[in-house]
Amino acid sequence: YWNDHCGEPDGPGEKAVVRRLRDELPDSAVVVPALEIRYRSDLDQIDALVITEDAVILVETKRYWGRVIFKEQRHIVDGEMRSDPIRKTNAKARRLQGRLWDDGIRGIWVGSQVILAVPPQQLAVEPDLKNSVVLLDDAAGRLVDRDAIIRERNWNVVPVDIDEVLR
């Protein structure tokens, strides 16, 4: 297994997200929950990895209830500054892309997505970040939307070999 809990998601938010993604994504997509991936001296914990025909997407799950604000370089929950999950997950995606590159898997898009497992009471997302955060009800559609996931407009999309990525 790729984690300490027999390949299953860890918490209730992660379980809800993985279940919905498995139910709603096309059969060609693979959802791998709760990974720990070593890259050099770092151990990245990833709530889920979604592999589609177009991209590999690291998913960070958040379960917020109150007022949530996503701004460039700032993340505020109920008036408290929090660690920015968009930046953290983007960094993990870059490290995974580097690891895949080191393994000879090149040219595929490795991206990230923050999925909100429950809709917060209030949600504000800066326009530049709108493709980085999604409510669970819209997550499956977002993950297969090439224009939303592949953020580099000049990226020459190489089809993802799912089996090769999973090795």
Side-chain angles (χ1 to χ4, degrees):
Y1 297 108
W2 297 12
N3 61 37
D4 293 334
H5 23 89
C6 301
E8 291 303 314
D10 195 21
E14 289 86 354
K15 287 177 184 174
V17 167
V18 167
R19 186 177 328 108
R20 286 280 295 274
L21 293 178
R22 285 180 171 164
D23 289 347
E24 295 178 9
L25 284 169
D27 291 341
S28 60
V30 173
V31 180
V32 182
L35 299 172
E36 293 180 346
I37 298 177
R38 182 161 302 283
Y39 184 71
R40 296 187 181 144
S41 63
D42 293 322
L43 183 65
D44 285 335
Q45 295 181 334
I46 299 167
D47 292 342
L49 188 70
V50 176
I51 307 169
T52 70
E53 295 172 349
D54 295 322
V56 175
I57 305 140
L58 281 78
V59 171
E60 174 70 18
T61 301
K62 291 297 177 191
R63 216 167 159 235
Y64 297 137
W65 303 101
R67 185 168 191 233
V68 181
I69 300 170
F70 288 93
K71 290 187 170 193
E72 198 71 42
Q73 310 294 326
R74 288 187 21 207
H75 178 54
I76 304 166
V77 179
D78 294 329
E80 274 184 38
M81 289 291 293
R82 296 267 184 104
S83 165
D84 183 355
I86 295 172
R87 283 182 45 188
K88 280 174 71 170
T89 309
N90 281 341
K92 291 177 187 181
R94 285 191 304 275
R95 286 192 292 272
L96 178 58
Q97 188 162 33
R99 181 168 175 177
L100 293 172
W101 181 273
D102 290 347
D103 291 343
I105 304 170
R106 300 184 174 149
I108 63 172
W109 181 263
V110 179
S112 64
Q113 193 70 203
V114 174
I115 298 179
L116 302 179
V118 294
Q121 290 176 344
Q122 293 181 330
L123 176 62
V125 181
E126 273 193 359
D128 287 349
L129 301 176
K130 71 179 178 70
N131 285 337
S132 298
V133 179
V134 66
L135 295 171
L136 181 54
D137 285 347
D138 302 319
R142 166 77 56 83
L143 295 175
V144 294
D145 179 351
R146 287 173 73 160
D147 292 334
I149 292 299
I150 301 174
R151 298 184 187 127
E152 301 281 333
R153 293 298 148 231
N154 59 351
W155 190 270
N156 183 20
V157 178
V158 173
V160 176
D161 182 334
I162 293 173
D163 292 329
E164 188 176 29
V165 170
L166 290 174
R167 278 190 280 128

